Amino acid sequence: MKISIILDFICPYCFVGEKILEKALKEKNITPEFKFLPYELCPEPKPQAVVNEAGKIYFEKNIVEWANSENILINFPTINPKPRTALAFEGLYIAEKYNKGIEYIREVLDAYWVLNQDIGSIDVLTKIAKKLTLPEDEFYNALNSRVFKDKHYKFNLEVSDYDFDVVPTFYIDDVQLENFPRKIETWLQILN
């Protein structure tokens, strides 16, 4: 089974949606092949999104209640403006080289949505790489030199042309799910 996910690290729906999928996969004892499709919500040169009180109210009402209903811990990130995610996606290329793509995705999401860390920082991302036992120097140098900048930019543009309305968008064996599952029970039915 292959699961592809269009996501951005600063999207709370992506964080909770991936956590729900993770729980369902664990319950079903399924280890799929993953493919990640980057979709930056605020790519350069767009202005970075800012954290404000209206966003916090929406987050508390919609995201926290949903996450709590699925027993998922999430915090409101206070990094302002919200980090750009190009570097985090560039780090994914190295993690995938060492077959640690899903672990990297989950650590970056946790860094932002649980630990309130600036995932636009090379130092924060390099600490994640170190935790995953990725070659620290290779990882740091690749992000610092932006060796994957053009590859990521091109891939992000390609994903922008896909036919989807929201992130996250999930595909199972290249078939797009009509809606992203918001409950573990829904994923369990899909995975049957």
Side-chain angles (χ1 to χ4, degrees):
M1 172 186 291
K2 181 171 86 173
I3 297 179
S4 303
I5 311 169
I6 299 176
L7 78 157
D8 192 5
F9 295 111
I10 61 167
C11 166
Y13 294 97
C14 294
F15 172 76
V16 179
E18 199 291 315
K19 287 288 185 195
I20 290 170
L21 171 60
E22 179 183 5
K23 286 181 171 204
L25 290 170
K26 189 176 274 187
E27 190 169 320
K28 286 284 192 180
N29 197 27
I30 296 172
T31 306
E33 172 191 343
F34 282 101
K35 180 178 179 184
F36 302 100
L37 306 163
Y39 183 73
E40 289 182 70
L41 296 172
C42 293
E44 290 191 60
K46 277 175 135 179
Q48 287 174 264
V50 295
V51 176
N52 57 36
E53 192 59 32
K56 185 174 184 179
I57 292 167
Y58 177 87
F59 180 84
E60 292 292 332
K61 182 178 179 190
N62 296 287
I63 306 301
V64 172
E65 287 181 18
W66 171 42
N68 286 344
S69 75
E70 296 295 314
N71 296 313
I72 295 168
L73 172 66
I74 188 169
N75 295 311
F76 183 72
T78 57
I79 295 147
N80 211 358
K82 293 180 182 179
R84 295 207 190 272
T85 53
L87 283 173
F89 280 118
E90 289 174 34
L92 175 61
Y93 299 122
I94 298 164
E96 288 179 329
K97 175 182 171 184
Y98 293 96
N99 298 314
K100 293 192 176 185
I102 186 61
E103 294 90 342
Y104 177 82
I105 290 285
R106 290 174 177 159
E107 288 293 331
V108 174
L109 286 167
D110 280 353
Y112 187 65
W113 292 106
V114 177
L115 303 173
N116 197 30
Q117 295 178 345
D118 182 358
I119 58 170
S121 160
I122 292 175
D123 290 337
V124 168
L125 296 170
T126 302
K127 285 178 185 169
I128 291 169
K130 183 178 181 179
K131 181 178 180 181
L132 296 174
T133 66
L134 296 172
E136 196 174 341
D137 288 342
E138 178 185 352
F139 187 91
Y140 178 87
N141 292 333
L143 267 57
N144 194 44
S145 67
R146 302 296 306 270
V147 71
F148 294 113
K149 180 180 179 179
D150 291 341
K151 177 181 178 177
H152 170 66
Y153 177 77
K154 201 170 158 188
F155 194 31
N156 196 59
L157 282 178
E158 288 173 19
V159 173
S160 297
D161 289 336
Y162 283 37
D163 183 22
F164 69 100
D165 296 320
V166 298
V167 290
T169 295
F170 294 92
Y171 298 80
I172 304 229
D173 296 327
D174 298 321
V175 176
Q176 182 178 336
L177 299 183
E178 194 172 314
N179 299 301
F180 82 83
R182 293 176 180 252
K183 299 275 184 200
I184 293 169
E185 292 76 23
T186 308
W187 265 119
L188 292 174
Q189 291 170 2
I190 291 168
L191 294 170
N192 270 339

